[in-house]
Amino acid sequence: MQELFKRASEQQTALRAALSNADPVPSLLVLAHLTQDLTLLEQAAPYIAGGWNYQQHVPESIRQTAQNRLVDVLKEYAEQNKPLPELPSDETLQRMMSAAVGTQVPSEYIPMFIEELRIGPQDTRTIRWKDGSPPSAISENFQVVVVGAGIAGICAGVRLKQAGVPFVILERHHAPGGTWIENRYPGCGVDTPSHFYSYSFFPNKKWSRYFCRQSEIQDYLARVVTEFGLEEHIRYGTEVFEAKYETSAGMWTVNHRREGIEKILRCNVMITAAGHNVPSLPKLAGIDSFKGPVLHTACWNEGVLLEGKSVALVGTGASGMQVGPAIVDTVERLTIFQRTPHWAMGNPNYHKQVSSENIWCFENIPLFEMWHRFLIFWAASDMVHRQLVIDPKWHLPDLSLNADNHKLRETIIAYMREELGGDEELLRKCTPSYPPYGKRLLRDNKWFSMLRRKDVELISDGISHITPDGIVTSSGKLHKADVLIMATGFSASKLLWPMHITGRHGRSIRDVWGDDDPRAYKGVAVSGFPNFFVLAGPNTVLSHGGSAIFQIECQVAYVLQAIRHMIEGGYQSVEVREDVHDDYNRLIDSKHEHMVWKHPGVTSWYKNKHNRVTMTSPWRLVDFWAITREFDETGYLCKTHQREDALSDIDG
């Protein structure tokens, strides 16, 4: 940190130029943090309406005063070799955060932000061993297998390595990245703000865009793998197809295939980090007869050229809204087949580059990136959660859930009307029949303005069948196409498929879950499957906002605590109690009864064929953080037996 103070203060011209054009609120927060003087920050508070930089209208006089003061303070810290001040009190942090977002930040969020932002002296998501270091026996006879090297598997690998727990990651692709390896379609990117879509332990200060594209995200994940030395632990080109728990030994036998050769790996703990990446392929009659290429956004073929082609795009969800505008200038004609419209709203930053001045501040000014992360976290997470809760007394239940939800509905409709140029017929086609957040609220990628083009047609009639020449709708009309693009998402409820996983008493995960009814305690532990943990599991998907990486970090911290409990307690197995597991899932179901997904107008991949919500989380982020903060050993069956050597059957 002292090096940063020195570097910033030695570049006075660059420092002043960057501060003059960078976002002002992070600067005010840094100044308040370093000086413990909140005067200027609280003077700016009335001019701040939220965490997004476009909601901040700080007067130039305050900005200039803060800039001059911060330059002096940075110089003072550098010249006097001053350490960072002690962690501000919770009350001070609450005042700072509330002023910076223009509203009261509840006190329950302060401990979460201390951890997420790593404001304190320690990374509290790493595990602490009772004796200060991992027991020596770990290296001899304990092994963890992680399935998948996407965002969840990488996070698990980092934390296992930091803890000194032996592990191996099995990844079926030939590079890390998970969903960002599989999804490579034109326009593919994140709809979570980039600075929030990064690990708390390795923030990326060089994001080029506020909402980054696939290649930059994949590069970031690869950099994490290199930075934390995970390459030596990852076996690429390895597909896990079966895993069985041996009750007598307290071990998992993991069957996997590599270069066509089947191998066996035995381990004490198995962690699945396989995500929700099974493409959902619509059952369309005649699709095999189509004479042109058929693409799916989750398995894109870069070899198929779209230039000058008539393209049919099936699906208008997240991937459809990204790929359509990305290819429309290339193709001759784009015909879009919509089953259900989606609510989508513009964000002024969606297509914006991060300014060079902001990047300079992220890299050179202590605490600047940290406080910027707070602002984005607040803007893109729990502040909208209340809009998802059904008000039983609301007088317009067919349209919306409550007053706030209805206000959002009207705001989005006004936005769509403007983007569609006042075309009321197009507006009718684009307006969902369910309330906002019934499906994930999407970012408008210039989708609505694209629909106004003469070479684009939006079809809301159902698809009857496919012919060699195109798509026939329920009206009997043939829409000719050279290429079909399926932007139809994933079969998310069929979690962990096609792996065949068998727990105690020979029961498989499919016996317990069926094809579409996954359940887990806190989204990570399944009764009947000892020493087995699921990352990005049932009822952990965020719909109201937030970041998948935040959820995963919370889950990984919980799982690492469970592993520590196993090792330090000498337990052969830990397994969530059935009653605890079932009580938690009844609680989840009861929470969902009062939320948007239970609205009669909502159909979604979040729900299974029995109308049970299996994928989305009903919790605010602060709730899920609190739920997973401590491993609750009383909710588990912990058994001690003599361990077998986990390494004896490890293949090379």
Side-chain angles (χ1 to χ4, degrees):
M1 191 66 74
Q2 290 301 324
E3 179 60 31
L4 275 184
F5 283 119
K6 184 178 179 182
R7 192 163 72 205
S9 62
E10 288 178 345
Q11 303 179 69
Q12 288 286 308
T13 301
L15 173 61
R16 288 186 178 278
L19 287 174
S20 294
N21 293 283
D23 296 342
V25 177
S27 299
L28 287 160
L29 281 162
V30 172
L31 180 61
H33 193 144
L34 294 177
T35 63
Q36 305 292 292
D37 181 355
L38 280 60
T39 303
L40 284 172
L41 176 61
E42 292 185 330
Q43 285 177 7
Y47 305 97
I48 300 171
W52 297 109
N53 57 6
Y54 55 80
Q55 296 175 309
Q56 302 161 6
H57 307 285
V58 180
E60 184 59 32
S61 59
I62 297 177
R63 291 185 60 150
Q64 192 61 50
T65 302
Q67 174 186 320
N68 293 334
R69 180 77 177 105
L70 183 55
V71 169
D72 291 341
V73 168
L74 292 173
K75 184 178 180 181
E76 177 185 322
Y77 267 79
E79 291 178 346
Q80 299 180 19
N81 200 29
K82 291 176 64 174
L84 282 176
E86 292 186 2
L87 177 69
S89 68
D90 285 7
E91 292 75 17
T92 298
L93 286 170
Q94 186 178 19
R95 280 178 60 198
M96 291 171 61
M97 293 176 182
S98 298
V101 295
T103 190
Q104 183 73 3
V105 175
S107 59
E108 63 182 318
Y109 283 85
I110 307 308
M112 181 191 75
F113 280 126
I114 291 173
E115 179 180 287
E116 169 68 14
L117 303 177
R118 299 179 68 176
I119 300 176
Q122 292 182 326
D123 179 356
T124 56
R125 287 180 185 163
T126 60
I127 61 172
R128 303 282 186 271
W129 298 99
K130 288 180 180 177
D131 296 330
S133 60
S136 59
I138 293 179
S139 60
E140 300 172 6
N141 62 2
F142 199 90
Q143 179 82 359
V144 177
V145 167
V146 180
V147 182
I151 58 174
I154 291 170
C155 183
V158 168
R159 293 310 196 187
L160 287 165
K161 187 151 189 169
Q162 290 173 334
V165 177
F167 68 98
V168 62
I169 300 175
L170 305 181
E171 169 56 51
R172 62 191 176 96
H173 294 294
H174 293 279
T179 189
W180 300 109
I181 289 286
E182 294 165 338
N183 289 273
R184 305 181 309 276
Y185 57 85
C188 180
V190 71
D191 58 7
T192 300
S194 303
H195 296 90
F196 192 11
Y197 198 81
S198 54
Y199 300 112
S200 65
F201 54 80
F202 194 68
N204 185 5
K205 299 179 180 182
K206 293 186 177 182
W207 290 120
S208 67
R209 299 166 59 100
Y210 286 102
F211 293 86
C212 276
R213 298 301 189 213
Q214 175 266 342
S215 61
E216 194 169 353
I217 299 164
Q218 186 183 340
D219 289 346
Y220 165 73
L221 294 173
R223 198 161 71 252
V224 176
V225 167
T226 300
E227 180 73 18
F228 289 90
L230 299 187
E231 285 286 359
E232 64 183 286
H233 299 273
I234 303 176
R235 299 181 188 176
Y236 294 113
T238 302
E239 183 175 10
V240 175
F241 60 89
E242 186 177 38
K244 294 181 180 179
Y245 182 71
E246 303 172 16
T247 303
S248 60
M251 306 279 287
W252 280 93
T253 299
V254 182
N255 296 275
H256 56 286
R257 189 179 296 110
R258 192 179 191 188
E259 297 179 347
I261 300 173
E262 293 186 2
K263 300 182 180 183
I264 295 175
L265 187 63
R266 299 179 77 230
C267 62
N268 305 85
V269 173
M270 180 177 177
I271 300 173
T272 64
H276 314 123
N277 297 331
V278 179
S280 176
L281 298 171
K283 297 178 180 178
L284 300 175
I287 193 168
D288 293 336
S289 71
F290 184 69
K291 65 185 181 184
V294 179
L295 306 176
H296 192 287
T297 50
C299 40
W300 193 261
N301 182 352
E302 287 90 348
V304 176
L305 300 179
L306 302 180
E307 287 82 355
K309 300 293 178 66
S310 179
V311 174
L313 173 63
V314 179
T316 57
S319 58
M321 279 202 176
Q322 289 187 341
V323 73
I327 65 173
V328 70
D329 289 330
T330 299
V331 305
E332 179 183 347
R333 182 166 183 79
L334 181 62
T335 306
I336 302 166
F337 294 84
Q338 172 182 271
R339 184 179 66 175
T340 307
H342 287 252
W343 294 107
M345 187 65 180
N347 183 296
N349 284 346
Y350 189 74
H351 293 281
K352 284 183 66 174
Q353 301 279 326
V354 181
S355 71
S356 59
E357 292 86 358
N358 272 318
I359 293 175
W360 194 96
C361 292
F362 294 152
E363 293 187 306
N364 293 282
I365 298 179
L367 308 177
F368 193 97
E369 182 277 332
M370 180 196 82
W371 281 116
H372 177 265
R373 185 181 177 96
F374 157 71
L375 295 169
I376 295 299
F377 188 120
W378 182 260
S381 58
D382 284 350
M383 62 181 295
V384 300
H385 188 271
R386 63 181 181 273
Q387 297 184 20
L388 282 68
V389 181
I390 297 171
D391 178 357
K393 298 180 180 179
W394 180 241
H395 66 289
L396 297 171
D398 292 339
L399 299 178
S400 49
L401 306 176
N402 53 52
D404 288 334
N405 186 264
H406 191 76
K407 181 179 179 181
L408 175 63
R409 182 183 190 276
E410 295 304 301
T411 299
I412 299 176
I413 288 176
Y415 171 82
M416 289 194 298
R417 178 177 282 112
E418 181 177 354
E419 291 294 303
L420 293 169
D423 187 325
E424 292 299 317
E425 176 57 21
L426 262 181
L427 180 63
R428 182 190 64 78
K429 286 184 177 181
C430 293
T431 303
S433 60
Y434 54 87
Y437 291 107
K439 298 184 180 183
R440 188 173 65 177
L441 183 63
L442 303 179
R443 306 282 185 191
D444 177 26
N445 184 36
K446 301 183 180 178
W447 173 265
F448 298 115
S449 60
M450 177 196 71
L451 296 179
R452 297 165 57 185
R453 293 174 57 135
K454 293 182 179 179
D455 55 354
V456 175
E457 183 178 7
L458 179 65
I459 307 296
S460 56
D461 293 338
I463 295 175
S464 171
H465 61 279
I466 309 295
T467 74
D469 298 314
I471 296 178
V472 178
T473 58
S474 55
S475 66
K477 183 178 179 180
L478 170 64
H479 299 267
K480 291 186 177 182
D482 302 313
V483 180
L484 301 186
I485 297 176
M486 300 294 167
T488 48
F490 303 94
S491 300
S493 286
K494 203 169 185 177
L495 205 59
L496 303 185
W497 187 89
M499 289 186 289
H500 186 75
I501 299 172
T502 305
R504 284 193 302 107
H505 308 308
R507 295 192 73 195
S508 75
I509 203 76
R510 296 272 77 85
D511 293 333
V512 177
W513 286 354
D515 278 342
D516 65 351
D517 195 22
R519 301 166 188 254
Y521 178 59
K522 301 187 178 183
V524 298
V526 184
S527 179
F529 294 79
N531 305 355
F532 177 75
F533 301 99
V534 185
L535 301 181
N539 298 116
T540 61
V541 173
L542 291 166
S543 179
H544 70 281
S547 167
I549 290 181
F550 173 83
Q551 294 285 92
I552 286 164
E553 285 201 50
C554 290
Q555 295 165 64
V556 168
Y558 182 84
V559 171
L560 263 290
Q561 290 180 61
I563 292 173
R564 178 184 62 186
H565 185 70
M566 278 185 70
I567 293 169
E568 292 186 335
Y571 296 114
Q572 184 189 60
S573 65
V574 294
E575 175 192 348
V576 65
R577 288 169 27 201
E578 184 175 6
D579 60 322
V580 172
H581 174 279
D582 293 349
D583 284 348
Y584 178 81
N585 279 277
R586 279 190 285 271
L587 175 62
I588 286 285
D589 291 344
S590 68
K591 290 284 185 183
H592 278 134
E593 286 297 324
H594 307 287
M595 302 196 74
V596 63
W597 307 293
K598 280 296 184 176
H599 188 278
V602 173
T603 58
S604 167
W605 64 269
Y606 298 153
K607 302 194 290 188
N608 65 14
K609 60 179 175 288
H610 303 295
N611 206 40
R612 180 175 178 268
V613 180
T614 61
M615 300 313 300
T616 47
S617 169
W619 307 114
R620 300 173 302 165
L621 275 70
V622 70
D623 298 326
F624 191 71
W625 170 79
I627 286 168
T628 55
R629 192 180 186 188
E630 300 286 345
F631 177 68
D632 45 335
E633 59 193 70
T634 59
Y636 285 76
L637 302 172
C638 303
K639 298 182 179 180
T640 56
H641 295 287
Q642 184 176 358
R643 289 197 188 104
E644 293 188 17
D645 189 349
L647 302 178
S648 60
D649 292 333
I650 299 295
D651 57 88

